[in-house]
Amino acid sequence: SSSANSLKVSRTTQDNNNNSTNSNIINSNNNNNLNNSNSSNNINIDKQRLLEQFILSHTPKRLRGTTWRYYDISHNVNLITQQYHFQSQYVCIVIHDGGVGPEAHFELLLRLSEQYRVIAPILPEELNEFDDFSAGIELILQHEKIGRIFIYGSSFGGLIALHFAKLYNERVKSIIIAQTSLNLELLAYKANKSLKKQIYSGKLLRRYFAGHSVSTKLLTNFSDFDNEQKSLWLNVLRKFGASKQALLSRTQALVEFITNGFPLFINIKEEQMLHINCLIIEADEDPFFSKQILDQRCLCIPKADIHYFKRTSYIYTLLCGAEIADIILRFIAGDPTIASNHKLGDDINLVSNSNTNLRNVILNQQNNNTTILVGND
C-alpha cells in the first residue's frame, strides 16, 4: 500500500511537471508570436514613418525651361538617427522604374543618402526616346554643377542608365543596373502589341514597368511580408504609379531603343565598349531572364560583375530598397564578395571581371561569319 501511494504521488508530480512544461512552451510560443507581431508592426510603422518623412522633407526641384523635376537629397541625414554623414565628392543618380515614380524608391533613396548626395530625376511622362531621357539627366547634372557620378537604375531605369553611360561615359565612375537582362526580341514584339491594344500589363512588359499593375497575389512571393506590410506597399505603388500617358510613351521608347539604340546582334568593337565599373543585379530564375542578353552586357562592359538574388519576383528591387542600397554601397566601396557565382553553367565565367573567354568566343564566331541573334531563349 505504501509503495502504491508512493507511485501515485510520483505520477501526480510527473503529470504536474509535464503540465507546467507544456504551459511554459505555450507561453513561450505565445511570447514569440507576440514578439514577431510587435516586430512586424514596428517595421510597418518605421516604413510608414520613413515614407511620410520623405514626402514632407523633400520637395522636387524643377529644371527651369523644361518639364524635368528631380529630388535632391543632399543633406546626408539619417531620418531615424538624425545623424549627419560625410559627403562624398561623387553623387549617386537613381533612375526610377518605369511603372512608378522615385517616391516608391524611398527606402533606397534614404539609405543611399546616408553616405552620398542623391539625385533622383522624375522622368517626364511625354518623353518617348532614350536620347531625351539621357539629355535631360545631363542637363540636371550641369545645372547642379555635378561632376562624376555613380548611377543606378532597375528595369526601365536600368536601360536609361546604360544609355546614359554610353553617351556620357566620361561622367560615370560606376554603373549599377538591375533586371535588364530580359528577352529583348520578345520584348519588342510584346511592346508593339501593347501599343496597338493600349494595354500595358503583359507579364514581360510589367518587368520593365515594375510597380505597375501589382496585385496582392504577386506579393505572395514575399512570404516574410505580413498582410499589413503588403497593404502598405500596395498603397505606395498605387499612389505613385505611372500614368497611362507615361506607360504609352515609355513603351514607344522601348520599341525605339531595341530597334535603333541597342542592336540585337552582337557586333561590338573595342571603341564601343564601356570601360567603367559595373554591377549587374539579376534574378536568373525569372522565366524571362536571357543569358544571351547578359552575355552581351558583359561583352559591352568588360569590368562587369554580376550579383544574383534569390527572389524570383521582378519587384524585389522595388520592395526591398534597403537591401539593394546595401548591395550598391558595398559595390561602390569595392567589396569583392558582392559578385555571385554564375549558376547558369560553367562553360563561361562571367564573374569578377573574367569576360576574356566570352569575348574571344564571340569574336572568333564573328570572324567565321557567324551571326549570333540575341534574345531568343
Side-chain angles (χ1 to χ4, degrees), residues 8-68:
K8 289 179 180 179
V9 171
S10 177
R11 285 177 177 174
T12 301
T13 302
Q14 184 177 0
D15 289 342
N16 289 336
N17 289 336
N18 289 339
N19 290 335
S20 177
T21 300
N22 291 335
S23 176
N24 289 336
I25 291 175
I26 292 172
N27 289 334
S28 176
N29 289 336
N30 288 337
N31 288 335
N32 288 336
N33 290 335
L34 182 61
N35 289 335
N36 290 336
S37 176
N38 289 336
S39 175
S40 178
N41 288 335
N42 289 336
I43 291 174
N44 292 332
I45 292 173
D46 287 344
K47 287 183 183 292
Q48 182 67 40
R49 186 161 62 91
L50 276 178
L51 175 61
E52 291 173 355
Q53 290 183 337
F54 175 81
I55 298 301
L56 292 174
S57 304
H58 301 94
T59 303
K61 295 181 177 180
R62 183 177 293 278
L63 189 61
R64 183 176 298 178
T66 73
T67 57
W68 280 89

Side-chain angles (χ1 to χ4, degrees), residues 5-230:
N5 289 335
S6 176
L7 182 61
K8 289 179 180 179
V9 171
S10 177
R11 285 177 177 174
T12 301
T13 302
Q14 184 177 0
D15 289 342
N16 289 336
N17 289 336
N18 289 339
N19 290 335
S20 177
T21 300
N22 291 335
S23 176
N24 289 336
I25 291 175
I26 292 172
N27 289 334
S28 176
N29 289 336
N30 288 337
N31 288 335
N32 288 336
N33 290 335
L34 182 61
N35 289 335
N36 290 336
S37 176
N38 289 336
S39 175
S40 178
N41 288 335
N42 289 336
I43 291 174
N44 292 332
I45 292 173
D46 287 344
K47 287 183 183 292
Q48 182 67 40
R49 186 161 62 91
L50 276 178
L51 175 61
E52 291 173 355
Q53 290 183 337
F54 175 81
I55 298 301
L56 292 174
S57 304
H58 301 94
T59 303
K61 295 181 177 180
R62 183 177 293 278
L63 189 61
R64 183 176 298 178
T66 73
T67 57
W68 280 89
R69 295 182 301 140
Y70 57 97
Y71 286 96
D72 184 357
I73 310 175
S74 56
H75 298 294
N76 297 306
V77 58
N78 185 319
L79 294 179
I80 297 178
T81 63
Q82 294 298 312
Q83 293 179 349
Y84 286 84
H85 297 263
F86 173 77
Q87 181 171 336
S88 168
Q89 61 175 317
Y90 299 108
V91 176
C92 190
I93 307 298
V94 175
I95 307 176
H96 61 82
D97 288 332
V100 291
E103 298 85 356
H105 295 277
F106 68 96
E107 275 191 292
L108 173 76
L109 297 175
L110 292 175
R111 177 71 182 90
L112 291 176
S113 69
E114 293 174 16
Q115 298 188 32
Y116 296 96
R117 179 185 179 186
V118 178
I119 300 290
I122 302 174
L123 302 178
E125 294 183 350
E126 67 278 3
L127 296 187
N128 59 5
E129 292 187 7
F130 277 75
D131 285 344
D132 293 336
F133 291 128
S134 298
I137 295 171
E138 173 64 15
L139 284 176
I140 293 173
L141 298 181
Q142 291 178 9
H143 178 73
E144 293 290 340
K145 297 179 173 59
I146 293 172
R148 300 192 71 194
I149 61 171
F150 304 112
I151 187 167
Y152 166 78
S154 62
S155 63
F156 187 79
L159 293 181
I160 295 175
L162 273 174
H163 195 69
F164 181 88
K166 179 181 176 183
L167 296 179
Y168 306 99
N169 60 83
E170 71 284 350
R171 273 203 183 273
V172 180
K173 179 174 176 58
S174 296
I175 179 173
I176 304 96
I177 54 176
Q179 293 179 287
T180 61
S181 302
L182 302 180
N183 189 321
L184 291 183
E185 187 180 34
L186 182 60
L187 175 63
Y189 169 75
K190 294 291 186 181
N192 273 310
K193 193 173 180 180
S194 295
L195 288 174
K196 293 178 181 178
K197 294 184 176 181
Q198 295 189 0
I199 299 175
Y200 311 101
S201 57
K203 290 182 179 180
L204 177 55
L205 205 57
R206 281 207 304 261
R207 279 158 172 75
Y208 279 102
F209 298 154
H212 174 61
S213 299
V214 174
S215 62
T216 306
K217 182 180 179 181
L218 181 61
L219 295 180
T220 56
N221 291 325
F222 294 82
S223 57
D224 51 337
F225 282 17
D226 63 15
N227 290 333
E228 290 186 10
Q229 198 165 351
K230 292 176 182 177

